[in-house]
Amino acid sequence: MSMQDITSKTSQLSVSEHVVYVNETTGSDATGHGTVDAPFATALAAVTLIGNMPEEKQEAFKVMVQKAGEEAYAEITASALKKARKAHKDAANKARRVAEQAERQHAQGEAKRMEEQRRLEESSKVELTEDASLPAAKKIRIQD
């Protein structure tokens, strides 16, 4: 889920309700908004949406889950919420590490390109001349 998707879904969420809905059977993490009409499919998507809000707003939100075979929404269990928060934190850390690695690789590639450019410029300055103090070079055939 990209940051634009999260921002879009956050704006569509009814802030007055302070509830994010998850329906494990009919919800969708791709098209859901966390509302009753368009719930998410997983608690991770709900926690991701809430986790990307300002911290002062995060505590006010509840996650309501409707499991398969149940008719009503119920508040998410503490263990399921903890598991979803951990998964969100792990995903955020992984994304940060991947971004740092890409940045390091880009910097290394740029440094290597600059070094190759420097060597190329240095090699173009080299001029080969025949030593005048030695006899003139002769062309010979090695094989007949």
Side-chain angles (χ1 to χ4, degrees):
M1 196 178 306
S2 71
M3 193 53 115
Q4 285 180 330
D5 293 340
I6 292 169
T7 305
S8 166
K9 289 179 181 187
T10 303
S11 66
Q12 293 172 357
L13 187 63
S14 174
V15 179
S16 62
E17 292 179 11
H18 295 291
V19 177
V20 179
Y21 292 93
V22 175
N23 187 321
E24 295 179 352
T25 54
T26 62
S28 171
D29 289 344
T31 60
H33 303 295
T35 62
V36 174
D37 298 328
F40 290 119
T42 63
L44 176 59
V47 169
T48 301
L49 176 70
I50 295 169
N52 290 311
M53 291 181 176
E55 284 192 37
E56 60 273 2
K57 290 184 177 182
Q58 290 180 12
E59 295 301 319
F61 278 87
K62 292 191 310 185
V63 178
M64 301 296 284
V65 179
Q66 183 178 15
K67 296 188 182 258
E70 294 181 4
E71 292 186 25
Y73 283 94
E75 192 167 351
I76 191 169
T77 61
S79 62
L81 184 59
K82 182 179 177 182
K83 184 178 179 181
R85 283 184 176 155
K86 183 177 182 335
H88 170 68
K89 182 180 173 185
D90 291 347
N93 286 340
K94 183 178 181 180
R96 180 185 48 79
R97 285 191 310 269
V98 166
E100 288 172 355
Q101 182 180 16
E103 188 176 321
R104 274 194 309 273
Q105 287 176 344
H106 177 71
Q108 288 172 349
E110 186 65 22
K112 187 176 180 180
R113 189 187 65 74
M114 294 297 287
E115 177 63 19
E116 288 175 358
Q117 182 68 25
R118 184 191 66 77
R119 286 183 181 179
L120 182 63
E121 289 175 5
E122 188 177 299
S123 68
S124 67
K125 293 177 185 176
V126 174
E127 194 172 307
L128 297 177
T129 57
E130 197 170 330
D131 190 358
S133 64
L134 297 174
K138 296 180 191 176
K139 291 185 179 182
I140 61 170
R141 287 182 81 163
I142 294 177
Q143 280 187 334
D144 286 327

